[in-house]
Amino acid sequence: MQFKNITNKKIIAIALATIIMSSSAFMYTKNVSADEQVEVITTQQTTEGDINAGARGDGQLTEGGAEVVSSDASSDTSNIPEESQLEITPNENPIKAASSGFNGFVRENGKWYFYVNNVQKKGWIEYKGNKYYVINTYALPQNMWRKINGYLYYFNKDGIMIKDQRISIEGKEYQFDKSGHMVSLDSSKRLNEVTPEQGKLYDLGQQTLIEAASTKKNGVLYEWGKYYRYVDGKKVRGWYKQNGKWYYFLNTLNRAENMWRKIQGSLYYFDQNGVMVSNTSKNIGGVTYKFNLGGSLAWSSSQIKIDQVINVAKSKIGSRYVWGAQGPSTFDCSGLMLYAFQNGAGITLPRVSKDQAKRGTYVSRANLRPGDLIFWGAPVHHVALYIGNGKYIHAPQPGSNVTIANLGGYTTARRIIQ
């Protein structure tokens, strides 16, 4: 019985200690209020959408025209956890401004952003004698807490780290050591006493932002995983030539990369670096394309095959329809398709239309192009070859001849040659 009482006392003591520790933790977190934005390092990544998403529909842009568009407003996302790769270790060095390109702070939508050689940066940065920290939203923290690598920091109105000082934040006193880490209060520092060295850093930080207030973005800048072109602080779109190479900025304002664009009726291709491909042949998606000196598409191996298929089919105009025939002088509908693809492109199609309708890939009416197969019926019982401009060629029915007709309604369409 005595053993049980002792055990119960121990359990009660442990429980009381746990409550006291929990209460202390609660009191601490309560003192760091929500609008102080205490930030914990996590492995969460900020991701970007597909660079090509929503970037269609530039056919109406005229070459050489650059429309000025206001910069997008950025939402307040200061509560997003910092990315783990931004943690600083004793062996890491802060980023320093480059000697060329666009460098320094820029104010946009009420926030400050930092660039090194045209690239938006985040993490620890050394600039004009001060050490800054740019958060994962690329904004400079101002009057804001941050927990980085296990240490709590506070940054003043100019984004300068408070260090070697005891200050009051929202009515509560905090103390920071010479590294900027928040530490326990002691008698080594008096409230709001600033060392001459730290005072110079505060003054320098204030002056840095004053001088940067009139800075405007210019040139091609890298932001949030995409390239944008700025003129006097505004994003612009359209053609842009740099170092003898042509680039194109989309209606979505980012640079075209790894994509086709139809501009003023001509097709262009922009590589992974955004450079317009010109005066060369290039394999794209297994198809060889030839580009003119000015960058417009001259021809492709696929287009050559399509043209040959259409030419073979056209050469049979007037040939008599015979059920089950597949050339060379008489045809049924699927026989004509089989003959044209075999002799024009070396492609063997199934014999009957319902099986031909299972080959290739589906094509919507809006995306029909010459060389696509058009089908009628459910189940499919007729097939024709689309030749462009709302017309198709086919072998209609017994008693008729191979002919060209205007496209009306149909059931489905398939692309055989990509």
Side-chain angles (χ1 to χ4, degrees):
M1 188 71 176
Q2 185 178 359
F3 173 78
K4 183 179 288 186
N5 287 337
I6 292 173
T7 304
N8 289 339
K9 288 178 181 179
K10 286 183 179 179
I11 292 171
I12 292 169
I14 292 170
L16 285 172
T18 303
I19 292 169
I20 291 170
M21 291 175 67
S22 300
S23 299
S24 298
F26 173 76
M27 289 171 65
Y28 172 74
T29 54
K30 184 178 179 181
N31 288 332
V32 182
S33 59
D35 55 2
E36 289 171 337
Q37 307 299 340
V38 174
E39 188 151 9
V40 178
I41 298 294
T42 71
T43 57
Q44 179 175 338
Q45 303 294 318
T46 302
T47 59
E48 278 292 317
D50 180 2
I51 202 164
N52 295 338
R56 303 298 175 190
D58 296 293
Q60 301 304 315
L61 277 179
T62 57
E63 185 172 335
E67 181 177 346
V68 177
V69 182
S70 299
S71 301
D72 300 329
S74 59
S75 59
D76 183 4
T77 54
S78 55
N79 286 318
I80 299 175
E82 295 289 354
E83 298 177 4
S84 59
Q85 64 264 34
L86 298 187
E87 296 182 16
I88 189 168
T89 68
N91 297 322
E92 287 182 340
N93 295 316
I95 297 169
K96 297 183 180 180
S99 58
S100 62
F102 186 84
N103 293 284
F105 285 105
V106 175
R107 187 174 176 82
E108 186 176 22
N109 302 314
K111 299 180 185 295
W112 290 97
Y113 301 91
F114 190 80
Y115 292 80
V116 175
N117 198 20
N118 291 15
V119 178
Q120 197 175 48
K121 293 293 183 180
K122 55 186 176 181
W124 290 106
I125 292 166
E126 281 185 0
Y127 183 63
K128 291 190 174 182
N130 255 318
K131 185 176 179 180
Y132 297 88
Y133 184 80
V134 178
I135 64 178
N136 59 352
T137 59
Y138 292 95
L140 181 70
Q142 296 174 273
N143 292 326
M144 188 180 294
W145 289 91
R146 277 296 179 270
K147 189 174 185 181
I148 307 165
N149 217 28
Y151 294 103
L152 272 173
Y153 299 81
Y154 190 79
F155 300 88
N156 75 0
K157 64 180 180 61
D158 300 310
I160 303 302
M161 177 174 56
I162 303 296
K163 60 182 181 179
D164 199 19
Q165 189 179 356
R166 182 171 182 163
I167 65 171
S168 176
I169 302 173
E170 295 191 351
K172 181 173 176 60
E173 292 185 20
Y174 298 91
Q175 190 165 318
F176 300 86
D177 64 17
K178 291 183 178 181
S179 297
H181 304 156
M182 193 195 80
V183 294
S184 299
L185 294 173
D186 60 36
S187 59
S188 64
K189 294 291 179 183
R190 289 186 298 178
L191 183 63
N192 295 328
E193 183 179 50
V194 182
T195 63
E197 180 184 359
Q198 186 65 10
K200 288 180 181 179
L201 293 179
Y202 292 150
D203 293 341
L204 183 59
Q206 183 180 36
Q207 186 60 33
T208 296
L209 295 189
I210 290 174
E211 292 173 355
S214 60
T215 302
K216 292 183 179 181
K217 297 180 185 179
N218 279 289
V220 178
L221 308 184
Y222 187 72
E223 303 172 338
W224 289 98
K226 297 181 182 181
Y227 286 92
Y228 299 90
R229 183 185 168 216
Y230 285 86
V231 175
D232 290 331
K234 302 293 184 181
K235 291 177 181 176
V236 297
R237 59 190 183 186
W239 288 104
Y240 177 63
K241 189 175 184 180
Q242 185 178 39
N243 298 325
K245 298 177 180 179
W246 282 100
Y247 302 85
Y248 189 78
F249 290 84
L250 306 164
N251 288 340
T252 51
L253 303 175
N254 58 290
R255 191 174 72 183
E257 298 173 1
N258 279 332
M259 65 173 67
W260 289 94
R261 270 299 174 272
K262 189 173 185 179
I263 307 168
Q264 283 191 305
S266 296
L267 275 174
Y268 298 85
Y269 187 79
F270 300 88
D271 67 16
Q272 70 273 15
N273 297 314
V275 177
M276 178 191 74
V277 177
S278 65
N279 198 30
T280 189
S281 296
K282 184 177 179 64
N283 187 285
I284 304 171
V287 177
T288 300
Y289 297 90
K290 171 66 178 177
F291 296 89
N292 294 316
L293 180 62
S296 60
L297 178 64
W299 54 262
S300 69
S301 55
S302 289
Q303 189 58 53
I304 291 173
K305 289 180 179 180
I306 291 169
D307 291 343
Q308 290 173 339
V309 168
I310 292 173
N311 288 337
V312 169
K314 284 183 174 180
S315 72
K316 300 303 175 181
I317 291 176
S319 297
R320 189 164 54 92
Y321 179 99
V322 173
W323 184 84
Q326 54 191 49
S329 56
T330 57
F331 302 90
D332 64 8
C333 64
S334 56
L336 177 62
M337 301 303 107
L338 187 150
Y339 184 89
F341 275 86
Q342 180 64 56
N343 291 276
I347 295 173
T348 301
L349 294 178
R351 175 61 189 87
V352 297
S353 60
K354 69 176 182 179
D355 292 330
Q356 290 177 357
K358 300 173 184 176
R359 291 288 299 270
T361 58
Y362 168 76
V363 183
S364 67
R365 190 181 187 102
N367 291 314
L368 270 179
R369 74 180 188 195
D372 292 339
L373 293 181
I374 307 165
F375 298 91
W376 287 262
V380 169
H381 58 76
H382 189 61
V383 61
L385 178 68
Y386 185 67
I387 60 175
N389 297 319
K391 298 181 182 298
Y392 62 90
I393 186 169
H394 69 148
Q397 59 195 18
S400 64
N401 299 325
V402 174
T403 187
I404 292 176
N406 293 319
L407 182 63
Y410 64 90
T411 305
T412 190
R414 308 287 291 183
R415 180 160 296 159
I416 304 301
I417 302 176
Q418 301 301 318

